[in-house]
Amino acid sequence: MVAASPDALVGRRTELAALRGAIAGLMAGRGCAVLVEGEPGIGKSAVVRAATDEIEHASCELFWASCDELSQAFALVPMVDALGIRESAKDERRAAIARLMRADPSNAGGIDVVTAATERLLALVDELSGAGPVVVVVDDLQWADPATVQVWGRLARSVGQVPLLLIGMMRPVPRRDDLLALRRLVGPEQRILLGGLPEPDVLKLVSNAVGGPPGAKLSDLAAGAAGNPLYLTELCAALVRSSRLTHEGERVELAAAAAPARPTPLSVAVTGRLDFVSEPARDMLHTAALLGVDFSVGELAVVTGRRVSDLMPALDEAIAAGVLHDDDQGLAFRHPLIRAALYDGVPAAVRAAWHADAGRALAAGGAPVERVARQLLAALDDPTRATGLDDGWLAEWLVTAAAPLVARAPQAAVQLLRAAAQGTGVTGRGNPTLAGLLADALYRTGDAASAERVAADALDGLTQPDVLVDLHWTRAQCLSVLGRASECVETLEGALDFEGLEQRHRARLLALAARAHRTHGDVNKAERLATDALNEANAVGDRWAAGWAAAVLALVQVMRGRQVEALPAFEQAMSVADNDPALADLSLLLRVNHAVVLGELDRYQDAIAAAQEAWRVADQVGNAVRVSQAQSVLSELLFDTGRWDDALADAAQIESPLGYSRNPVVECMGHGIAATIRLHRGDATAQAHLTAAAPYAELIKRRVVGPLALARSLEREQAGAPDDALNVLTNALADGADELQETEDLLADTVRLAIATERLDVAHNAVTKAEDLAAGSDLPRRQAVARHCRGLLAADAAELAAAAERYQTAGRPLPRAQALEAAGLTLAEAGDLLAARRHFSEAFDAYTALGGTWDLARLQARFRSFGIRRGSRSGHRRARSGWDSLTHTELGIARLVARGLSNPAIAAELFLSRRTVQTHVSHILVKLNLRSRIDIARQVSQREA
């Protein structure tokens, strides 16, 4: 980082005071996020440097990240460089992140390297700020990659909890959506807008630079800089160096032979600086400009084809002339605009050819694929295309380099893979390996439709069985997201007749076909295909096919409601997948579904612990898809067991990770749970969740998501349309005839609504289904459902009361309350008001504990006609505030904060992800009206003392 020029700070007293105020707050323990905005050269970096120079020797760590145009396609590069993330780092935390980002994607087992590295970087900053005040500066955010912007945004959300000052600098254009979101997040009070200097400050700056007040001509020339401090200082420096100024009394004026009255200030500045360097140094600077604002001497040597020792004279000369400067990582242009002027001075076609040559040279020199790709992407900017990329070399390089590039920078991979196809005549049919990589990259960027087309085109006429499975795997994922699972089934069945298939190919295709049929809802066909796949996989020793086949068999048992049989099936599948890096993704999927099975067996404590562990492991390794699935399962378990506040908090965390398409089932689950809870609580925002879930429900078609079906039915019932409410449930039961896991919880409401709408045939069918499920089962929940349904149909209060007892044993408070309510009404109608009052009171307490205001209103209205009511104090859910309003999870986190664990160790101890811990900490701060984690710790200490 270069020290700020004093001249550049003329007229910036207000802005500098604002930054110094933020720093003073940081040193007092208050974090803050600030955005500094303005045009190029307006003084953003100078003001921030001037403010941060004052804390470099204080007990505060400063990290400065710089973005540029060439790094946009490569995730996290600025943050990695700023935080010193390299494999040679003495700090094991930093070295581990560097190793993670260089991991071989072929053995990653579904891990998203970018997501994993993002979480580790956030954890590192959190730990550093836990040890003392930290300042993180990100310059030129307008060129930042999406992952870096995401990191900045997530850090900005945490500044109220840790001593972290986050400063971002950006230009007003380009106006990217994610940057606009950052502006909204920070808010207008924390945005510093730098405009052009007013005329008095312009004259003061020029006077300082030239050694006296400017004359009329010089003042007129300076006015052409529009108050831009960089333009002004560079213009004055160029005029001084070239002896174009003269003294006329006390004033400094342009010499008679000076430049025209209004030249472009930056052109004058750069031309002036280069006038004083030799031709070899100018050539070297033009080449260095290809590499970006920052570059290493080693890369420059590779690109120029010269030894480092041969470059040193030219480099020393450029540093002495003020064009380059030394930084912590290598060399850099003194200002990005100087590099831009040099770069733009080369014709576009020549520049593209230079980039192509640079890319090839770096590849030959063993440079990381990201550094090579930066040059190749820049070469593609020329519409005529660089010769160096038209001879098949690009396609040849991508065969080996595209896999790690797809994992780390899928957008860049897409551009290069498409260029290889267009420039060399390669098509999916001609090079299915590249087509498979392109399809995978497109899927990772969220373009499932294009990915499916590429994969389908490559499969058409394919003659190489080795890539058949990979193409089908990608296409199957795309079709699932696109709601076209039936096409996947048809294609895979045809692939099994592919000529030349070996047994190992057949085993994998059978496993994929079984998975597709399960996704499509055909569990019988899925079971047959998975059994065949497992047999063939075992015969050839293919752990991948064996693992996925075993997983499908276990999932089929779950879908049939055979949880007891599913448990050993999952254990068998996990024994195949565990400790195999290539099956890491499958291992996580099995962990998630193992938690589901435990929940279906009414082992909720074990299920919640298993879901939290699956979430923790997936979050740790960066498998974003499995993170969202584990969150979804955990939310459903918390909902079932009545921990609705926690369920809402966790459901809010279910979000699409960077680089992946949204999972329709997960989205439906999250929105369904949130909508159901909010409907029971009389919250009008429930409708927004139902609206958001609609397009995802359309994609999964026949798949039934229980909470979403319940929410849709409840919304219709509350709208006064019981017939519509019943139709929602009967349609779901028909669609999910083989998905007992999802439909079992719909049966009691189906019977209740069928009786209310006088559709007794529907009620009888639902009772029969519930009794079939309970036959031969000793699960409390399953017995409770059967008794609940029978009791409703027969108006049998004893049966309903017995159902409530079994629900309590199972740990399901909502259906218990509903069974108690029905039992009480039955008794009241029979005249046994004493027993009815007892059931009413128990139901009232249960609904109150859940916060079910809509249920409470209905309960009281129905019993009021029998003269049964609660007192006014009991008739409403008591408002909770302060410590009494904290959930169990929030209380645990508060205590951990008090023990000094305000860092990712919280996540390890609670088996929760870092961002969810932050969400809970935010809730604690709001509920207790506190400002920081320090305040939480103080409150806990006082409370427990």
Side-chain angles (χ1 to χ4, degrees):
M1 185 177 70
V2 180
S5 166
D7 290 336
L9 297 179
V10 170
R12 299 303 186 201
R13 180 179 301 174
T14 302
E15 295 85 353
L16 190 57
L19 286 172
R20 285 173 175 164
I23 293 169
L26 173 70
M27 303 310 292
R30 298 189 303 274
C32 181
V34 179
L35 277 177
V36 183
E37 304 175 52
E39 67 180 43
I42 204 66
K44 301 184 295 294
S45 301
V47 171
V48 174
R49 283 174 181 141
T52 56
D53 279 348
E54 300 172 7
I55 64 169
E56 286 193 333
H57 302 295
S59 57
C60 179
E61 289 203 72
L62 172 65
F63 302 98
W64 190 291
S66 296
C67 310
D68 62 46
E69 293 172 271
L70 293 181
S71 68
Q72 288 183 87
F74 306 97
L76 302 174
V77 168
M79 297 300 296
V80 164
D81 290 344
L83 292 167
I85 305 298
R86 59 181 68 87
E87 292 187 51
S88 60
K90 294 181 180 179
D91 182 356
E92 176 55 28
R93 298 170 301 181
R94 289 173 165 86
I97 297 172
R99 289 194 296 270
L100 172 65
M101 297 193 72
R102 296 294 180 204
D104 181 358
S106 63
N107 293 322
I111 293 172
D112 176 14
V113 174
V114 174
T115 301
T118 296
E119 294 299 328
R120 300 280 185 90
L121 285 170
L122 290 167
L124 175 61
V125 175
D126 200 38
E127 290 179 25
L128 293 171
S129 57
V134 170
V135 179
V136 176
V137 179
V138 183
D139 201 353
D140 280 323
L141 268 169
Q142 75 279 352
W143 302 132
D145 60 277
T148 296
V149 175
Q150 184 185 64
V151 167
W152 202 98
R154 287 178 61 181
L155 287 174
R157 290 183 177 91
S158 70
V159 293
Q161 305 165 27
V162 293
L164 170 65
L165 174 57
L166 187 65
I167 301 175
M169 291 174 276
M170 64 182 185
R171 302 176 187 177
V173 291
R175 297 180 63 82
R176 291 164 42 179
D177 290 342
D178 53 355
L179 296 181
L180 292 175
L182 288 189
R183 297 180 82 250
R184 291 191 295 270
L185 172 64
V186 169
E189 66 281 356
Q190 295 302 125
R191 293 203 302 266
I192 298 175
L193 178 61
L194 294 181
L197 297 176
E199 184 179 1
D201 290 324
V202 169
L203 296 178
K204 181 179 179 181
L205 190 154
V206 173
S207 180
N208 292 344
V210 300
K217 293 180 181 178
L218 180 55
S219 297
D220 188 46
L221 180 62
N228 187 298
L230 176 70
Y231 293 175
L232 287 165
T233 53
E234 292 291 347
L235 171 62
C236 292
L239 294 173
V240 169
R241 283 194 305 271
S242 58
S243 301
R244 296 181 181 181
L245 299 175
T246 184
H247 283 268
E248 296 181 356
E250 294 182 355
R251 297 192 174 275
V252 180
E253 188 58 277
L254 288 176
R262 294 184 182 275
T264 303
L266 185 59
S267 299
V268 170
V270 174
T271 302
R273 285 191 182 275
L274 295 182
D275 281 346
F276 293 91
V277 298
S278 63
E279 189 69 27
R282 279 199 295 273
D283 292 341
M284 179 275 299
L285 287 169
H286 280 292
T287 305
L290 297 174
L291 300 175
V293 176
D294 305 293
F295 59 92
S296 73
V297 178
E299 284 189 354
L300 183 61
V302 169
V303 171
T304 58
R306 300 169 63 187
R307 294 179 300 180
V308 172
S309 58
D310 294 335
L311 290 173
M312 289 311 300
L315 291 171
D316 289 340
E317 188 178 348
I319 292 172
V323 179
L324 299 179
H325 71 88
D326 212 349
D327 68 9
D328 295 336
Q329 306 298 326
L331 293 176
F333 284 92
R334 200 182 69 82
H335 195 284
L337 294 178
I338 298 175
R339 177 255 170 188
L342 282 163
Y343 186 78
D344 294 338
V346 179
V350 175
R351 196 165 62 219
W354 275 16
H355 277 299
D357 289 343
R360 297 186 67 164
L362 289 171
V369 292
E370 294 95 332
R371 303 296 294 180
V372 177
R374 284 176 61 163
Q375 297 301 317
L376 301 181
L377 287 171
L380 298 178
D381 285 343
D382 174 33
T384 64
R385 295 290 309 281
T387 304
L389 297 183
D390 291 338
D391 59 3
W393 176 87
L394 178 60
E396 182 181 344
W397 178 72
L398 284 170
V399 167
T400 57
L405 198 61
V406 167
R408 298 168 198 156
Q411 289 280 9
V414 166
Q415 295 180 58
L416 291 173
L417 286 162
R418 280 180 164 161
Q422 296 166 2
T424 63
V426 172
T427 65
R429 301 177 190 182
N431 196 327
T433 300
L434 286 184
L437 290 164
L438 176 57
D440 187 20
L442 287 166
Y443 175 73
R444 286 172 180 261
T445 61
D447 190 354
S450 296
E452 190 277 327
R453 286 194 296 270
V454 170
D457 186 54
L459 285 166
D460 187 14
L462 182 67
T463 59
Q464 302 174 32
D466 282 336
V467 297
L468 188 70
V469 174
D470 289 340
L471 284 166
H472 274 296
W473 180 267
T474 301
R475 186 165 188 258
Q477 293 182 101
C478 295
L479 290 172
S480 176
V481 169
L482 296 169
R484 295 160 51 193
S486 59
E487 294 180 41
C488 178
V489 168
E490 297 168 5
T491 305
L492 284 167
E493 288 182 347
L496 290 167
D497 298 326
F498 191 87
E499 186 176 352
L501 281 183
E502 298 178 12
Q503 193 170 14
R504 62 188 177 90
H505 299 133
R506 182 172 175 78
R508 294 195 169 200
L509 285 173
L510 282 168
L512 281 176
R515 187 170 180 243
H517 278 284
R518 188 203 71 83
T519 301
H520 192 50
D522 189 346
V523 293
N524 294 323
K525 188 66 174 289
E527 184 176 36
R528 289 197 300 272
L529 290 170
T531 301
D532 292 344
L534 187 59
N535 292 334
E536 301 228 14
N538 288 334
V540 295
D542 188 338
R543 290 176 62 86
W544 189 95
W548 279 104
V552 172
L553 288 172
L555 291 169
V556 164
Q557 298 291 358
V558 173
M559 294 177 73
R560 285 178 169 161
R562 300 173 182 170
Q563 283 76 15
V564 175
E565 294 88 345
L567 204 56
F570 274 112
E571 292 168 355
Q572 178 188 356
M574 285 191 285
S575 68
V576 176
D578 285 347
N579 303 317
D580 187 339
L583 292 174
D585 180 58
L586 174 60
S587 177
L588 286 169
L589 174 65
L590 292 169
R591 285 174 180 267
V592 171
N593 283 282
H594 184 237
V596 173
V597 173
L598 290 170
E600 291 298 310
L601 291 173
D602 296 340
R603 294 169 54 182
Y604 284 109
Q605 186 173 353
D606 294 337
I608 290 172
Q612 290 172 337
E613 175 66 8
W615 183 355
R616 184 189 67 81
V617 174
D619 191 59
Q620 184 179 54
V621 302
N623 192 323
V625 171
R626 302 307 175 205
V627 165
S628 63
Q629 290 174 344
Q631 287 174 318
S632 177
V633 170
L634 181 57
S635 295
E636 186 174 18
L637 291 169
L638 294 171
F639 168 73
D640 288 343
T641 54
R643 293 167 57 179
W644 285 7
D645 289 335
D646 290 339
L648 280 175
D650 290 334
Q653 295 298 319
I654 300 172
E655 58 185 19
S656 294
L658 183 68
Y660 282 92
S661 300
R662 290 181 181 269
N663 183 312
V665 175
V666 170
E667 294 287 339
C668 288
M669 181 67 71
H671 287 298
I673 290 169
T676 301
I677 293 173
R678 296 190 189 283
L679 284 165
H680 279 288
R681 290 182 167 180
D683 187 338
T685 61
Q687 187 59 53
H689 288 288
L690 293 174
T691 301
Y696 300 107
E698 179 63 27
L699 289 176
I700 60 176
K701 299 187 187 309
R702 288 181 58 193
R703 288 288 301 274
V704 176
V705 177
L708 181 58
L710 283 173
R712 286 175 161 176
S713 175
L714 187 57
E715 185 273 334
R716 291 285 77 214
E717 182 178 359
Q718 291 185 4
D723 288 299
D724 292 344
L726 178 61
N727 289 337
V728 170
L729 297 180
T730 54
N731 290 338
L733 290 171
D735 289 340
D738 294 326
E739 297 182 57
L740 304 184
Q741 171 198 355
E742 294 294 339
T743 58
E744 184 178 1
D745 289 338
L746 309 182
L747 294 172
D749 278 316
T750 300
V751 175
R752 177 178 60 80
L753 287 167
I755 293 171
T757 56
E758 299 181 353
R759 294 172 61 182
L760 296 185
D761 56 328
V762 174
H764 280 287
N765 288 337
V767 170
T768 300
K769 182 168 290 190
E771 290 176 334
D772 290 343
L773 283 171
S777 172
D778 58 358
L779 291 178
R781 185 195 70 262
R782 193 155 285 174
Q783 294 172 355
V785 171
R787 288 192 160 195
H788 194 172
C789 292
R790 279 198 304 267
L792 287 169
L793 184 60
D796 187 336
E799 192 77 344
L800 289 167
E805 290 181 8
R806 300 309 289 158
Y807 278 130
Q808 183 157 5
T809 302
R812 301 288 294 273
L814 177 62
R816 172 179 174 267
Q818 293 168 333
L820 286 168
E821 179 183 352
L825 279 172
T826 302
L827 288 168
E829 289 168 353
D832 188 350
L833 297 185
L834 184 62
R837 187 182 300 277
R838 185 174 65 252
H839 289 316
F840 165 81
S841 295
E842 291 184 66
F844 190 98
D845 291 341
Y847 286 134
T848 299
L850 294 170
T853 53
W854 178 78
D855 300 277
L856 284 169
R858 181 196 64 243
L859 178 75
Q860 293 181 100
R862 298 175 77 181
F863 278 82
R864 190 174 293 119
S865 61
F866 298 100
I868 299 173
R869 60 175 58 86
R870 290 284 284 263
S872 59
R873 288 187 62 198
S874 304
H876 301 279
R877 188 184 183 195
R878 296 179 185 179
R880 299 191 303 165
S881 62
W883 285 94
D884 293 336
S885 69
L886 299 187
T887 65
H888 176 76
T889 300
E890 289 167 350
L891 285 170
I893 290 176
R895 292 190 181 99
L896 288 172
V897 171
R899 286 178 9 219
L901 296 178
S902 53
N903 57 44
I906 294 175
E909 185 157 344
L910 290 180
F911 304 104
L912 294 171
S913 79
R914 177 183 182 278
R915 57 179 170 270
T916 300
V917 169
Q918 289 185 344
T919 298
H920 286 306
V921 169
S922 297
H923 291 170
I924 294 168
L925 293 170
V926 171
K927 291 177 179 180
L928 300 184
N929 193 26
L930 302 177
R931 297 183 63 180
S932 70
R933 292 187 181 188
I934 296 172
D935 294 333
I936 293 175
R938 186 181 300 113
Q939 287 274 332
V940 172
S941 299
Q942 293 173 354
R943 181 180 173 83
E944 297 187 348

